Amino acid sequence: MADIIQLLPDHVANQIAAGEVVQRPASVVKELLENAIDAESTEIKLIIKDSGKTLIQVIDNGKGMSVTDARLSFERHATSKIRAAEDLFNLHTKGFRGEALASIAAIAHVELKTKQEQDELGTQIEIEGSDLKAQNVVVTPKGTSLAVKHLFFNIPARRNFLKSNAVELRHIIDEFHRVALAHPSIVFAMYHNGSEIFNLPSSNYRQRVVNIFGGKTNEKLVPVEETTEVLKISGFVGKPEFAKKTKNEQFFFVNNRFIKSPYLNHAINSAFEGLVKDGAHPSYFLNLTVDPKTIDINIHPTKTEIKFDDEHTLYAILRSAVKHSLGQFNIAPVLDFDSDPNLNTPYDYKDKSVATPPTIEVDRDFNPFKEKVSHGVGSSKPAVTFKKQNTSSWDSLYVGLESKSTQQDHNFSEVEFESDSKNETLFDDSQTETTQATYQLHNKYIVSTIKSGMLMIDQHRAHQRVLYENLLKNMTVKEAVSQQLLFPLQLHFSSTELPILIQLKEDLESTGFAFSSVKDHTIEITGVPLGVPESEVSIILEQLISDVEQEVPDSNFSATDLLAKSMAKSLAIKTGQSLNKQEQEHLVNSLFACKEPTVSPTNKTTFITMSVDDIDKKFM
């Protein structure tokens, strides 16, 4: 029988390894940026074209590589960080898989230029699909420049699975944020299709957060500092009132390495319990420093998940530190009986003895009914008199009153008649309410009668369907009504949120929004759709951004449809909202005037029916 197991050729093994290392252009960006940081660079430049599909280039001013190192860096299982197996548990550098550059070179055209400081000339290497095309001596500045072109050129199936340029660019920006936040002392710059997206100077951690997420972020940050034998925590959390629908501003760094940890994230949410609304996520930018021997960073290929020796202790310390910071800076409400400083004893009087209080003299024989009060010089009269007053002059007040009263009799009768008619109307209304066709159950469902039995409608889902179809119609016909604001509304968004809104700007305008300017992380709105309260605008846009990011739309996705769904979800009446008779009937009529009244925009049932036979069976 012939042998079955065979050794794979290197180029095939590299392509398979590339499936673990490189899922999308953002994976290449992560590897190249971390390599540049390990080279002790102080300035790193990232150049992107077509969201990384055409070009990903990282230029640094690090220590560079020798000719031998430059060639060996593309070999499988080649690394500058590990000498023995024990080194795996004591890593202080970023670390990348031994076959990272080899895997990237197996699925792209790679050009490397590198030079060490003491050398006069550098090295240039060109590789296409694991094949070495050229190796030359070139003039190049100190450091390394690595360009990855035509990603997945020899694996068309993988290239077809890439999302739209907007989605891939968002993933690249996410990776850029993670690396830039972990190293605030390094200068970072990012360019996409020739335009500058980020230019981050060397700064402290707070300034780096503000430079990335916009100037308004500074007022949202609450510092967190805690040092124990097990863990050192430093960084910031966001104030509860600025919690967002998305998780874009949640960053954990362990030993300067970005990680994802649902367990530690739960600790943060627990500290914010009762301070943020349901569905909102607090922001945090936290650096955790632990002993490298107490963590295992090799449980996931992308190194974004790590294993802690004692997670429970870290959970407790992290939760307590965040709670302490929120209380220390008066962010969290506390029950505190503050004394009025005006009631405290002055410092100069604290040692003095109490003076004798003044004496009070009381005239115990005083009687107001016996004494006389003077009303002038030499004149006096009793304080209280019981003489009957002379009322002879009062008769003049009644002269002609009888004739006037006879003239006013008709008017008084009219007043009584109007009062009676109002009472009749009030009772009529109460009688009609008892015979209304709809009834609201627990401020959640609308119950109505039909010929066959009973109809029960979910008011929130029904209103979503009505709004969704109206919004789609307005965006298609582009005849939406906009109400102008007396004062323009200014909203601030981060660098990742702003491109999403700019992309949807035209569709938003067709629903009734009016934008006057979009610049410097700020959007100025001068008009909103009819019926949309000004206070709801920021909530609607945040919900829209959240929906776009969670749906991750690709090139064949309808942004108009998503926008209509998101706005309908934000504007629909909520469960618990009381509706009067007219509102109930209007909602029922509007629902059954829709093209698809049976389901909400998210394909959930809007109403159910119960026939009389079904109800009868309940009583059997």
Side-chain angles (χ1 to χ4, degrees), residues 536-556:
E536 294 283 328
V537 173
S538 61
I539 299 175
I540 291 171
L541 295 182
E542 276 189 21
Q543 182 67 54
L544 175 62
I545 293 170
S546 173
D547 291 340
V548 170
E549 292 185 338
Q550 289 175 4
E551 291 282 348
V552 193
D554 51 23
S555 55
N556 59 7

Side-chain angles (χ1 to χ4, degrees), residues 28 52 54 57 59 96 220 223 241 251 266 283 312 357 369 387 421 446 450 463 489 494 522 558 560 562 574 618:
V28 178
T54 302
Q57 185 175 11
I59 305 171
F96 57 91
K220 306 176 185 178
E241 60 265 31
F251 295 89
H266 189 274
S283 304
H312 298 290
F369 295 101
K387 276 188 179 181
S421 65
I446 297 175
I450 54 177
H463 199 209
L489 187 64
S494 68
T522 303
S558 172
T560 306
L562 176 62
K574 303 297 187 288
K618 300 291 183 183

Side-chain angles (χ1 to χ4, degrees), residues 325-543:
S325 292
L326 294 175
Q328 182 181 7
F329 292 93
N330 294 326
I331 304 301
V334 293
L335 186 64
D336 191 8
F337 300 97
D338 292 330
S339 60
D340 188 350
N342 295 324
L343 301 179
N344 295 337
T345 304
Y347 183 79
D348 294 339
Y349 289 86
K350 68 183 182 69
D351 296 328
K352 291 187 177 181
S353 59
V354 179
T356 305
T359 58
I360 300 175
E361 296 181 0
V362 179
D363 184 3
R364 300 185 182 278
D365 297 329
F366 175 75
N367 189 341
F369 295 101
K370 291 182 179 180
E371 292 186 10
K372 293 181 180 180
V373 182
S374 62
H375 290 272
V377 179
S379 65
S380 64
K381 66 192 293 189
V384 180
T385 61
F386 298 97
K387 276 188 179 181
K388 186 175 181 181
Q389 298 291 333
N390 184 11
T391 59
S392 59
S393 62
W394 291 4
D395 296 338
S396 61
L397 296 175
Y398 298 95
V399 176
L401 186 60
E402 184 177 357
S403 60
K404 289 181 181 179
S405 63
T406 56
Q407 296 174 2
Q408 296 293 334
D409 284 346
H410 180 64
N411 293 335
F412 281 127
S413 63
E414 286 182 355
V415 171
E416 291 178 1
F417 177 76
E418 288 179 0
S419 177
D420 291 339
S421 65
K422 285 184 180 178
N423 289 339
E424 288 176 5
T425 306
L426 181 62
F427 286 117
D428 290 344
D429 287 345
S430 65
Q431 291 172 359
T432 56
E433 286 181 2
T434 59
T435 59
Q436 66 182 9
T438 59
Y439 174 75
Q440 192 176 22
L441 180 64
H442 294 300
N443 289 341
K444 183 176 183 180
Y445 301 106
I446 297 175
V447 182
S448 180
T449 57
I450 54 177
K451 288 182 179 180
S452 61
M454 183 177 68
L455 177 74
M456 188 175 291
I457 301 173
D458 186 312
Q459 65 184 34
H460 177 62
R461 293 180 184 177
H463 199 209
Q464 276 192 53
R465 166 53 64 179
V466 174
L467 291 174
Y468 171 70
E469 293 199 3
N470 287 338
L471 288 167
L472 267 185
K473 179 182 175 182
N474 291 338
M475 283 187 278
T476 305
V477 182
K478 299 186 183 298
E479 292 182 356
V481 179
S482 175
Q483 61 183 38
Q484 298 300 304
L485 299 176
L486 186 60
F487 300 103
L489 187 64
Q490 288 190 342
L491 301 176
H492 303 276
F493 296 96
S494 68
S495 54
T496 55
E497 296 169 339
L498 202 60
I500 297 175
L501 291 177
I502 294 174
Q503 179 185 350
L504 298 173
K505 182 172 177 284
E506 185 177 347
D507 291 322
L508 284 169
E509 287 174 342
S510 63
T511 63
F513 282 98
F515 300 91
S516 60
S517 65
V518 180
K519 59 181 180 180
D520 298 334
H521 302 281
T522 303
I523 286 183
E524 190 172 82
I525 299 174
T526 57
V528 296
L530 194 63
V532 176
E534 185 177 340
S535 59
E536 294 283 328
V537 173
S538 61
I539 299 175
I540 291 171
L541 295 182
E542 276 189 21
Q543 182 67 54

Side-chain angles (χ1 to χ4, degrees), residues 295-333:
I295 59 175
D296 183 1
I297 62 174
N298 291 307
I299 64 170
H300 195 276
T302 60
K303 307 293 192 297
T304 55
E305 296 178 15
I306 63 177
K307 177 69 175 174
F308 296 96
D309 279 357
D310 190 359
E311 286 187 329
H312 298 290
T313 303
L314 300 185
Y315 183 100
I317 295 173
L318 184 60
R319 180 177 178 272
S320 300
V322 173
K323 266 205 161 187
H324 175 70
S325 292
L326 294 175
Q328 182 181 7
F329 292 93
N330 294 326
I331 304 301

Side-chain angles (χ1 to χ4, degrees), residues 104-324:
I104 294 171
I107 53 173
H109 296 179
V110 177
E111 181 184 10
L112 170 70
K113 291 181 181 179
T114 184
K115 183 178 85 74
Q116 293 180 318
E117 189 171 11
Q118 66 273 15
D119 296 336
E120 293 184 1
L121 296 173
T123 305
Q124 179 185 21
I125 295 177
E126 295 181 10
I127 298 178
E128 296 180 6
S130 296
D131 293 333
L132 180 65
K133 296 295 182 182
Q135 179 171 342
N136 303 311
V137 177
V138 294
V139 176
T140 183
K142 172 205 168 189
T144 303
S145 169
L146 193 59
V148 178
K149 306 172 185 177
H150 311 301
L151 196 64
F152 299 125
F153 79 99
N154 53 355
I155 314 179
R158 290 293 300 274
R159 191 174 182 88
N160 292 337
F161 273 101
L162 294 180
K163 302 294 185 181
S164 65
N165 284 354
V167 174
E168 294 299 339
L169 177 62
R170 189 159 67 246
H171 284 287
I172 291 173
I173 291 176
D174 287 343
E175 291 293 348
F176 182 83
H177 284 172
R178 294 166 183 175
V179 176
L181 282 171
H183 303 275
S185 61
I186 299 177
V187 178
F188 284 94
M190 178 178 173
Y191 301 87
H192 181 244
N193 291 340
S195 60
E196 181 181 274
I197 298 181
F198 291 102
N199 192 350
L200 308 175
S202 177
S203 61
N204 59 32
Y205 190 56
R206 187 183 192 113
Q207 290 172 335
R208 176 56 56 90
V209 173
V210 171
N211 289 336
I212 290 178
F213 294 99
K216 289 293 179 180
T217 310
N218 193 29
E219 63 190 42
K220 306 176 185 178
L221 300 178
V222 178
V224 179
E225 294 287 341
E226 189 68 44
T227 303
T228 65
E229 295 179 358
V230 181
L231 172 69
K232 179 182 178 183
I233 304 172
S234 64
F236 304 93
V237 294
K239 294 180 180 178
E241 60 265 31
F242 297 107
K244 296 194 169 186
K245 296 278 186 182
T246 62
K247 296 182 180 181
N248 280 342
E249 297 182 2
Q250 294 186 341
F251 295 89
F252 275 126
F253 299 97
V254 175
N255 297 350
N256 289 335
R257 181 195 302 275
F258 172 80
I259 66 156
K260 296 177 182 177
S261 175
Y263 187 69
L264 296 183
N265 180 68
H266 189 274
I268 303 292
N269 291 334
S270 178
F272 276 89
E273 187 175 4
L275 300 178
V276 296
K277 299 178 182 178
D278 291 338
H281 304 282
S283 304
Y284 54 80
F285 313 88
L286 296 175
N287 295 298
L288 313 180
T289 304
V290 298
D291 186 351
K293 296 179 181 178
T294 63
I295 59 175
D296 183 1
I297 62 174
N298 291 307
I299 64 170
H300 195 276
T302 60
K303 307 293 192 297
T304 55
E305 296 178 15
I306 63 177
K307 177 69 175 174
F308 296 96
D309 279 357
D310 190 359
E311 286 187 329
H312 298 290
T313 303
L314 300 185
Y315 183 100
I317 295 173
L318 184 60
R319 180 177 178 272
S320 300
V322 173
K323 266 205 161 187
H324 175 70

Side-chain angles (χ1 to χ4, degrees), residues 574-586:
K574 303 297 187 288
T575 298
Q577 185 171 338
S578 178
L579 304 177
N580 60 33
K581 173 193 170 185
Q582 291 180 338
E583 290 171 339
Q584 294 171 25
E585 292 182 348
H586 178 71

